[in-house]
Amino acid sequence: MADFDPEKFEDKYVHYFNELQRAYKNVFNRLNEEYDSELIHAIDQQVLNESEPFYESDGEFRVELPENPSDRIKGVLVKDEKVEEVLDIYVEELEEELSRLFGFRS
């Protein structure tokens, strides 16, 4: 991996596409083993496909979700509370994975 440059992250899909793809895949694989795989697939395909990662500062990342992310989940019979809980965990894991992948955490 190339050294991380916060300014280049503004054009992340040009400079860090492979790293972003790896972070999303790593988290997907981990959570797919721990949680309902149908729900994890739905979150990945119906919510995170329109998410946007941002570099905040000091090795911290933020993943911004599309509007009303829980409402986007279709085809999975799960209570809204469970969707929100797993979605929160997914986003937190993804933000941590980005920090780890870019060398800010071990």
Side-chain angles (χ1 to χ4, degrees):
M1 185 202 73
D3 289 334
F4 181 77
D5 181 342
E7 289 181 20
K8 284 184 177 180
F9 201 77
E10 291 179 23
D11 200 9
K12 60 191 145 276
Y13 300 114
V14 171
H15 299 286
Y16 295 115
F17 181 78
N18 291 334
E19 290 85 351
L20 292 169
Q21 194 172 36
R22 186 173 329 123
Y24 275 75
K25 183 179 179 183
N26 289 349
V27 174
F28 173 85
N29 287 337
R30 270 198 314 270
L31 295 182
N32 196 42
E33 293 177 8
E34 294 179 36
Y35 296 93
D36 179 329
S37 64
E38 285 185 27
L39 178 55
I40 296 300
H41 279 267
I43 289 171
D44 181 63
Q45 296 296 309
Q46 299 170 21
V47 176
L48 293 179
N49 65 334
E50 294 186 32
S51 67
E52 189 73 30
F54 293 94
Y55 179 69
E56 293 293 297
S57 67
D58 299 324
E60 297 295 322
F61 290 83
R62 173 179 52 88
V63 175
E64 189 173 291
L65 299 178
E67 233 177 87
N68 304 315
S70 296
D71 294 344
R72 294 170 168 265
I73 303 295
K74 306 289 184 222
V76 180
L77 297 176
V78 181
K79 292 185 179 192
D80 288 345
E81 297 82 26
K82 186 65 174 177
V83 170
E84 291 173 16
E85 174 189 335
V86 174
L87 185 56
D88 288 345
I89 291 168
Y90 208 134
V91 169
E92 184 178 319
E93 290 276 330
L94 188 51
E95 290 168 348
E96 290 176 15
E97 182 68 13
L98 288 165
S99 290
R100 187 197 65 71
L101 192 74
F102 285 110
F104 295 106
R105 295 190 182 137
S106 50

